[in-house]
């Protein structure tokens, strides 16, 4: 059971275990936005509903320590496109590929990790692009900068708790580029 975490602006920032959510609540750092109507937890002395959505009461101060090497930023660097066939890879399908496979000594690093669609990933298997007869769209490298936008780490999809839906959908709404 997980709890969706919103920042002070009601933008989804993370998902945590419900136990973590309770801890944050006890620490006075968050408020409950929505509860699971059908899920309760019992302790020795009390019973309460499990929080489905919580919200931080203060702005989360993120240290700007350069560009983190994470899935989000790899995805952003590669513009969400498979680096072998240029196809757009939806966030929920995102896997990253080791250009030189780990089994062949490849590292998990900016210059050896790229966005790859599932078919390309499967076709490539445990081989280098050369061995598989595939070519990279561009050689991966650590980006000098990334667009400073609110970056979603996930969007709504089936199977997620129903109370999360409006929060995750609203983010897509607010982040869609406006056009004439
Ligand atoms: Zn591909």
């Amino acid at each position: 059971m997980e709890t969706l975490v919103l920042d002070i602006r009601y933008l989804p920032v993370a998902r945590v275990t419900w136990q973590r959510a309770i801890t944050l609540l006890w620490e006075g750092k968050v408020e409950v936005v929505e509860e699971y109507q059908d899920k309760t937890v019992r302790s020795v002395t009390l019973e309460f509903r499990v929080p489905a959505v919580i919200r931080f009461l203060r702005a989360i101060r993120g240290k700007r320590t350069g560009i983190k090497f994470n899935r989000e930023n790899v995805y952003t660097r590669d513009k969400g496109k498979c680096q072998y066939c240029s196809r757009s890879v939806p966030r929920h399908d995102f896997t990253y590929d080791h250009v030189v496979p780990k089994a062949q000594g490849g590292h998990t690093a900016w210059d050896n990790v790229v966005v790859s669609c599932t078919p390309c990933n499967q076709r490539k298997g445990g081989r280098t692009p050369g061995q598989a007869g595939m070519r990279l769209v561009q050689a991966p490298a650590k980006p000098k900068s990334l667009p400073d936008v609110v970056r979603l780490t996930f969007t709504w999809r089936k199977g997620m708790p129903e109370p999360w839906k409006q929060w995750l959908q609203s983010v897509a709404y607010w982040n869609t580029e406006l056009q004439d």
Side-chain angles (χ1 to χ4, degrees):
M1 224 182 325
E2 287 187 313
T3 303
L4 181 68
V5 184
L6 310 178
D7 69 7
I8 196 164
R9 299 163 300 164
Y10 291 93
L11 293 174
V13 288
R15 48 203 285 189
V16 297
T17 62
W18 67 267
Q19 291 94 332
R20 177 77 186 130
I22 298 291
T23 304
L24 288 167
L25 199 57
W26 281 339
E27 290 172 353
K29 291 177 179 167
V30 297
E31 65 173 5
V32 175
V33 178
E34 288 190 52
E35 295 170 327
Y36 288 114
Q37 296 306 312
D38 53 344
K39 289 169 186 161
T40 55
V41 184
R42 208 182 291 266
S43 75
V44 181
T45 50
L46 68 158
E47 184 180 329
F48 53 91
R49 287 207 173 113
V50 176
V53 181
I54 56 174
R55 171 187 172 237
F56 271 103
L57 297 169
R58 291 187 182 186
I60 306 159
R61 244 168 282 166
K63 274 183 242 152
R64 287 197 75 79
T65 51
I67 297 164
K68 283 187 182 162
F69 179 50
N70 54 26
R71 284 182 175 80
E72 177 65 24
N73 286 340
V74 169
Y75 188 85
T76 303
R77 179 198 65 185
D78 292 348
K79 299 183 176 66
K81 288 189 170 149
C82 173
Q83 293 301 292
Y84 297 104
C85 71
S86 298
R87 209 174 313 168
S88 286
V89 180
R91 280 177 173 273
H92 62 266
D93 279 343
F94 170 48
T95 55
Y96 59 86
D97 172 67
H98 286 87
V99 178
V100 176
K102 275 160 91 173
Q104 295 193 39
H107 295 290
T108 305
W110 276 114
D111 59 1
N112 193 47
V113 163
V114 295
V115 172
S116 169
C117 70
T118 308
C120 285
N121 212 331
Q122 284 169 353
R123 196 181 132 203
K124 184 168 172 283
R127 301 175 293 178
T128 65
Q131 290 163 352
M134 296 165 78
R135 266 174 55 187
L136 281 164
V137 173
Q138 57 182 6
K142 182 178 178 175
K144 290 191 177 67
S145 66
L146 288 174
D148 192 20
V149 292
V150 176
R151 296 192 192 102
L152 310 178
T153 49
F154 47 90
T155 51
W156 165 259
R157 60 187 151 118
K158 260 192 177 158
M160 282 184 171
E162 203 61 29
W164 293 11
K165 195 170 182 176
Q166 62 159 314
W167 303 105
L168 292 172
Q169 283 185 333
S170 70
V171 168
Y173 174 76
W174 288 112
N175 286 283
T176 303
E177 200 175 333
L178 296 173
Q179 288 179 329
D180 281 336

PDB file of all heavy atoms in Angstrom, residues 1 18-19 22 26 36-51:
ATOM      1  N   MET A   1       0.840  -1.191   0.000  1.00  0.00           N
ATOM      2  CA  MET A   1       0.000   0.000   0.000  1.00  0.00           C
ATOM      3  C   MET A   1       0.879   1.247   0.000  1.00  0.00           C
ATOM      4  O   MET A   1       1.740   1.382   0.839  1.00  0.00           O
ATOM      5  CB  MET A   1      -0.893  -0.003   1.228  1.00  0.00           C
ATOM      6  CG  MET A   1      -2.300   0.375   0.903  1.00  0.00           C
ATOM      7  SD  MET A   1      -3.371   0.422   2.343  1.00  0.00           S
ATOM      8  CE  MET A   1      -2.788  -0.888   3.387  1.00  0.00           C
ATOM      9  N   TRP A  18       2.932   3.514   3.047  1.00  0.00           N
ATOM     10  CA  TRP A  18       1.999   4.157   3.974  1.00  0.00           C
ATOM     11  C   TRP A  18       2.639   4.347   5.336  1.00  0.00           C
ATOM     12  O   TRP A  18       2.340   5.309   6.040  1.00  0.00           O
ATOM     13  CB  TRP A  18       0.682   3.372   4.073  1.00  0.00           C
ATOM     14  CG  TRP A  18       0.788   2.019   4.718  1.00  0.00           C
ATOM     15  CD1 TRP A  18       0.974   0.833   4.089  1.00  0.00           C
ATOM     16  CD2 TRP A  18       0.721   1.737   6.120  1.00  0.00           C
ATOM     17  NE1 TRP A  18       1.030  -0.184   5.012  1.00  0.00           N
ATOM     18  CE2 TRP A  18       0.875   0.342   6.272  1.00  0.00           C
ATOM     19  CE3 TRP A  18       0.544   2.517   7.270  1.00  0.00           C
ATOM     20  CZ2 TRP A  18       0.869  -0.291   7.522  1.00  0.00           C
ATOM     21  CZ3 TRP A  18       0.525   1.892   8.515  1.00  0.00           C
ATOM     22  CH2 TRP A  18       0.689   0.505   8.621  1.00  0.00           C
ATOM     23  N   GLN A  19       3.578   3.471   5.699  1.00  0.00           N
ATOM     24  CA  GLN A  19       4.260   3.629   6.981  1.00  0.00           C
ATOM     25  C   GLN A  19       5.072   4.925   7.010  1.00  0.00           C
ATOM     26  O   GLN A  19       5.081   5.651   7.994  1.00  0.00           O
ATOM     27  CB  GLN A  19       5.202   2.444   7.250  1.00  0.00           C
ATOM     28  CG  GLN A  19       4.490   1.127   7.504  1.00  0.00           C
ATOM     29  CD  GLN A  19       4.321   0.283   6.243  1.00  0.00           C
ATOM     30  OE1 GLN A  19       4.253   0.814   5.131  1.00  0.00           O
ATOM     31  NE2 GLN A  19       4.239  -1.023   6.410  1.00  0.00           N
ATOM     32  N   ILE A  22       2.758   7.856   7.425  1.00  0.00           N
ATOM     33  CA  ILE A  22       2.329   8.027   8.825  1.00  0.00           C
ATOM     34  C   ILE A  22       3.427   8.730   9.626  1.00  0.00           C
ATOM     35  O   ILE A  22       3.154   9.624  10.427  1.00  0.00           O
ATOM     36  CB  ILE A  22       2.006   6.645   9.462  1.00  0.00           C
ATOM     37  CG1 ILE A  22       0.839   5.972   8.716  1.00  0.00           C
ATOM     38  CG2 ILE A  22       1.711   6.792  10.949  1.00  0.00           C
ATOM     39  CD1 ILE A  22      -0.498   6.635   8.893  1.00  0.00           C
ATOM     40  N   TRP A  26       3.130  12.195  11.658  1.00  0.00           N
ATOM     41  CA  TRP A  26       3.444  12.348  13.080  1.00  0.00           C
ATOM     42  C   TRP A  26       4.504  13.433  13.304  1.00  0.00           C
ATOM     43  O   TRP A  26       4.528  14.089  14.315  1.00  0.00           O
ATOM     44  CB  TRP A  26       3.924  11.010  13.666  1.00  0.00           C
ATOM     45  CG  TRP A  26       2.781  10.085  13.960  1.00  0.00           C
ATOM     46  CD1 TRP A  26       1.476  10.440  14.140  1.00  0.00           C
ATOM     47  CD2 TRP A  26       2.835   8.665  14.080  1.00  0.00           C
ATOM     48  NE1 TRP A  26       0.719   9.313  14.360  1.00  0.00           N
ATOM     49  CE2 TRP A  26       1.517   8.216  14.342  1.00  0.00           C
ATOM     50  CE3 TRP A  26       3.867   7.729  14.007  1.00  0.00           C
ATOM     51  CZ2 TRP A  26       1.211   6.883  14.524  1.00  0.00           C
ATOM     52  CZ3 TRP A  26       3.564   6.390  14.192  1.00  0.00           C
ATOM     53  CH2 TRP A  26       2.239   5.966  14.448  1.00  0.00           C
ATOM     54  N   TYR A  36      -7.682   6.456   2.076  1.00  0.00           N
ATOM     55  CA  TYR A  36      -8.303   5.278   1.469  1.00  0.00           C
ATOM     56  C   TYR A  36      -9.543   4.941   2.293  1.00  0.00           C
ATOM     57  O   TYR A  36      -9.444   4.678   3.485  1.00  0.00           O
ATOM     58  CB  TYR A  36      -7.342   4.092   1.489  1.00  0.00           C
ATOM     59  CG  TYR A  36      -6.188   4.214   0.524  1.00  0.00           C
ATOM     60  CD1 TYR A  36      -4.880   4.337   0.984  1.00  0.00           C
ATOM     61  CD2 TYR A  36      -6.406   4.179  -0.847  1.00  0.00           C
ATOM     62  CE1 TYR A  36      -3.812   4.431   0.102  1.00  0.00           C
ATOM     63  CE2 TYR A  36      -5.343   4.273  -1.734  1.00  0.00           C
ATOM     64  CZ  TYR A  36      -4.051   4.398  -1.261  1.00  0.00           C
ATOM     65  OH  TYR A  36      -3.004   4.497  -2.129  1.00  0.00           O
ATOM     66  N   GLN A  37     -10.687   4.959   1.645  1.00  0.00           N
ATOM     67  CA  GLN A  37     -11.929   4.724   2.380  1.00  0.00           C
ATOM     68  C   GLN A  37     -12.036   3.289   2.884  1.00  0.00           C
ATOM     69  O   GLN A  37     -12.696   3.019   3.868  1.00  0.00           O
ATOM     70  CB  GLN A  37     -13.130   5.052   1.490  1.00  0.00           C
ATOM     71  CG  GLN A  37     -13.219   6.520   1.074  1.00  0.00           C
ATOM     72  CD  GLN A  37     -13.199   7.477   2.271  1.00  0.00           C
ATOM     73  OE1 GLN A  37     -13.931   7.276   3.232  1.00  0.00           O
ATOM     74  NE2 GLN A  37     -12.353   8.496   2.218  1.00  0.00           N
ATOM     75  N   ASP A  38     -11.358   2.402   2.207  1.00  0.00           N
ATOM     76  CA  ASP A  38     -11.552   0.981   2.514  1.00  0.00           C
ATOM     77  C   ASP A  38     -10.323   0.347   3.179  1.00  0.00           C
ATOM     78  O   ASP A  38     -10.255  -0.858   3.330  1.00  0.00           O
ATOM     79  CB  ASP A  38     -11.884   0.223   1.229  1.00  0.00           C
ATOM     80  CG  ASP A  38     -10.850   0.473   0.139  1.00  0.00           C
ATOM     81  OD1 ASP A  38     -10.070   1.448   0.268  1.00  0.00           O
ATOM     82  OD2 ASP A  38     -10.810  -0.295  -0.836  1.00  0.00           O
ATOM     83  N   LYS A  39      -9.370   1.167   3.561  1.00  0.00           N
ATOM     84  CA  LYS A  39      -8.167   0.592   4.161  1.00  0.00           C
ATOM     85  C   LYS A  39      -7.865   1.246   5.501  1.00  0.00           C
ATOM     86  O   LYS A  39      -7.604   2.439   5.572  1.00  0.00           O
ATOM     87  CB  LYS A  39      -6.969   0.777   3.230  1.00  0.00           C
ATOM     88  CG  LYS A  39      -7.038  -0.102   1.989  1.00  0.00           C
ATOM     89  CD  LYS A  39      -6.008   0.296   0.975  1.00  0.00           C
ATOM     90  CE  LYS A  39      -6.213  -0.514  -0.317  1.00  0.00           C
ATOM     91  NZ  LYS A  39      -5.550   0.110  -1.464  1.00  0.00           N
ATOM     92  N   THR A  40      -7.896   0.445   6.525  1.00  0.00           N
ATOM     93  CA  THR A  40      -7.592   0.971   7.846  1.00  0.00           C
ATOM     94  C   THR A  40      -6.438   0.199   8.452  1.00  0.00           C
ATOM     95  O   THR A  40      -6.158  -0.938   8.078  1.00  0.00           O
ATOM     96  CB  THR A  40      -8.801   0.867   8.797  1.00  0.00           C
ATOM     97  OG1 THR A  40      -9.233  -0.497   8.828  1.00  0.00           O
ATOM     98  CG2 THR A  40      -9.941   1.751   8.345  1.00  0.00           C
ATOM     99  N   VAL A  41      -5.765   0.870   9.368  1.00  0.00           N
ATOM    100  CA  VAL A  41      -4.670   0.233  10.092  1.00  0.00           C
ATOM    101  C   VAL A  41      -5.002   0.309  11.567  1.00  0.00           C
ATOM    102  O   VAL A  41      -5.540   1.299  12.051  1.00  0.00           O
ATOM    103  CB  VAL A  41      -3.335   0.964   9.815  1.00  0.00           C
ATOM    104  CG1 VAL A  41      -2.194   0.223  10.488  1.00  0.00           C
ATOM    105  CG2 VAL A  41      -3.079   1.062   8.327  1.00  0.00           C
ATOM    106  N   ARG A  42      -4.676  -0.755  12.262  1.00  0.00           N
ATOM    107  CA  ARG A  42      -5.004  -0.822  13.675  1.00  0.00           C
ATOM    108  C   ARG A  42      -3.709  -0.899  14.479  1.00  0.00           C
ATOM    109  O   ARG A  42      -2.834  -1.700  14.181  1.00  0.00           O
ATOM    110  CB  ARG A  42      -5.817  -2.089  13.921  1.00  0.00           C
ATOM    111  CG  ARG A  42      -6.759  -2.044  15.076  1.00  0.00           C
ATOM    112  CD  ARG A  42      -7.433  -3.390  15.186  1.00  0.00           C
ATOM    113  NE  ARG A  42      -8.359  -3.642  14.055  1.00  0.00           N
ATOM    114  CZ  ARG A  42      -9.665  -3.369  14.119  1.00  0.00           C
ATOM    115  NH1 ARG A  42     -10.185  -2.860  15.221  1.00  0.00           N
ATOM    116  NH2 ARG A  42     -10.441  -3.631  13.084  1.00  0.00           N
ATOM    117  N   SER A  43      -3.598  -0.025  15.455  1.00  0.00           N
ATOM    118  CA  SER A  43      -2.505  -0.185  16.410  1.00  0.00           C
ATOM    119  C   SER A  43      -3.136  -0.645  17.710  1.00  0.00           C
ATOM    120  O   SER A  43      -4.328  -0.918  17.753  1.00  0.00           O
ATOM    121  CB  SER A  43      -1.743   1.131  16.591  1.00  0.00           C
ATOM    122  OG  SER A  43      -2.506   2.021  17.373  1.00  0.00           O
ATOM    123  N   VAL A  44      -2.355  -0.715  18.774  1.00  0.00           N
ATOM    124  CA  VAL A  44      -2.898  -1.207  20.040  1.00  0.00           C
ATOM    125  C   VAL A  44      -4.056  -0.323  20.502  1.00  0.00           C
ATOM    126  O   VAL A  44      -5.079  -0.808  20.960  1.00  0.00           O
ATOM    127  CB  VAL A  44      -1.794  -1.236  21.126  1.00  0.00           C
ATOM    128  CG1 VAL A  44      -2.343  -1.760  22.445  1.00  0.00           C
ATOM    129  CG2 VAL A  44      -0.641  -2.114  20.653  1.00  0.00           C
ATOM    130  N   THR A  45      -3.880   0.978  20.341  1.00  0.00           N
ATOM    131  CA  THR A  45      -4.858   1.886  20.933  1.00  0.00           C
ATOM    132  C   THR A  45      -5.797   2.555  19.935  1.00  0.00           C
ATOM    133  O   THR A  45      -6.818   3.080  20.323  1.00  0.00           O
ATOM    134  CB  THR A  45      -4.130   3.009  21.711  1.00  0.00           C
ATOM    135  OG1 THR A  45      -3.121   3.566  20.859  1.00  0.00           O
ATOM    136  CG2 THR A  45      -3.482   2.457  22.965  1.00  0.00           C
ATOM    137  N   LEU A  46      -5.409   2.588  18.692  1.00  0.00           N
ATOM    138  CA  LEU A  46      -6.308   3.291  17.766  1.00  0.00           C
ATOM    139  C   LEU A  46      -6.355   2.644  16.395  1.00  0.00           C
ATOM    140  O   LEU A  46      -5.496   1.845  16.041  1.00  0.00           O
ATOM    141  CB  LEU A  46      -5.925   4.767  17.646  1.00  0.00           C
ATOM    142  CG  LEU A  46      -4.600   5.152  16.976  1.00  0.00           C
ATOM    143  CD1 LEU A  46      -4.661   6.578  16.481  1.00  0.00           C
ATOM    144  CD2 LEU A  46      -3.413   4.998  17.935  1.00  0.00           C
ATOM    145  N   GLU A  47      -7.371   3.064  15.669  1.00  0.00           N
ATOM    146  CA  GLU A  47      -7.537   2.581  14.319  1.00  0.00           C
ATOM    147  C   GLU A  47      -7.711   3.804  13.431  1.00  0.00           C
ATOM    148  O   GLU A  47      -8.400   4.747  13.793  1.00  0.00           O
ATOM    149  CB  GLU A  47      -8.799   1.708  14.238  1.00  0.00           C
ATOM    150  CG  GLU A  47      -8.999   1.078  12.887  1.00  0.00           C
ATOM    151  CD  GLU A  47     -10.266   0.212  12.838  1.00  0.00           C
ATOM    152  OE1 GLU A  47     -10.637  -0.358  13.867  1.00  0.00           O
ATOM    153  OE2 GLU A  47     -10.866   0.144  11.749  1.00  0.00           O
ATOM    154  N   PHE A  48      -7.041   3.804  12.312  1.00  0.00           N
ATOM    155  CA  PHE A  48      -7.181   4.973  11.443  1.00  0.00           C
ATOM    156  C   PHE A  48      -7.122   4.559   9.987  1.00  0.00           C
ATOM    157  O   PHE A  48      -6.619   3.495   9.652  1.00  0.00           O
ATOM    158  CB  PHE A  48      -6.100   6.017  11.739  1.00  0.00           C
ATOM    159  CG  PHE A  48      -4.698   5.468  11.706  1.00  0.00           C
ATOM    160  CD1 PHE A  48      -3.964   5.481  10.530  1.00  0.00           C
ATOM    161  CD2 PHE A  48      -4.114   4.937  12.861  1.00  0.00           C
ATOM    162  CE1 PHE A  48      -2.677   4.976  10.503  1.00  0.00           C
ATOM    163  CE2 PHE A  48      -2.825   4.427  12.830  1.00  0.00           C
ATOM    164  CZ  PHE A  48      -2.104   4.448  11.655  1.00  0.00           C
ATOM    165  N   ARG A  49      -7.647   5.428   9.161  1.00  0.00           N
ATOM    166  CA  ARG A  49      -7.617   5.162   7.728  1.00  0.00           C
ATOM    167  C   ARG A  49      -6.231   5.471   7.178  1.00  0.00           C
ATOM    168  O   ARG A  49      -5.573   6.398   7.614  1.00  0.00           O
ATOM    169  CB  ARG A  49      -8.652   6.034   7.007  1.00  0.00           C
ATOM    170  CG  ARG A  49     -10.071   5.558   7.255  1.00  0.00           C
ATOM    171  CD  ARG A  49     -10.962   5.966   6.077  1.00  0.00           C
ATOM    172  NE  ARG A  49     -12.281   5.375   6.235  1.00  0.00           N
ATOM    173  CZ  ARG A  49     -13.384   6.094   6.462  1.00  0.00           C
ATOM    174  NH1 ARG A  49     -13.332   7.413   6.545  1.00  0.00           N
ATOM    175  NH2 ARG A  49     -14.545   5.493   6.601  1.00  0.00           N
ATOM    176  N   VAL A  50      -5.840   4.686   6.212  1.00  0.00           N
ATOM    177  CA  VAL A  50      -4.532   4.878   5.590  1.00  0.00           C
ATOM    178  C   VAL A  50      -4.584   6.084   4.651  1.00  0.00           C
ATOM    179  O   VAL A  50      -5.496   6.191   3.834  1.00  0.00           O
ATOM    180  CB  VAL A  50      -4.117   3.621   4.792  1.00  0.00           C
ATOM    181  CG1 VAL A  50      -2.798   3.859   4.057  1.00  0.00           C
ATOM    182  CG2 VAL A  50      -4.017   2.421   5.718  1.00  0.00           C
ATOM    183  N   PRO A  51      -3.623   7.011   4.782  1.00  0.00           N
ATOM    184  CA  PRO A  51      -3.627   8.155   3.866  1.00  0.00           C
ATOM    185  C   PRO A  51      -3.330   7.736   2.436  1.00  0.00           C
ATOM    186  O   PRO A  51      -2.384   6.990   2.180  1.00  0.00           O
ATOM    187  CB  PRO A  51      -2.523   9.072   4.405  1.00  0.00           C
ATOM    188  CG  PRO A  51      -1.811   8.332   5.463  1.00  0.00           C
ATOM    189  CD  PRO A  51      -2.549   7.066   5.765  1.00  0.00           C
TER     190      PRO A  51
END
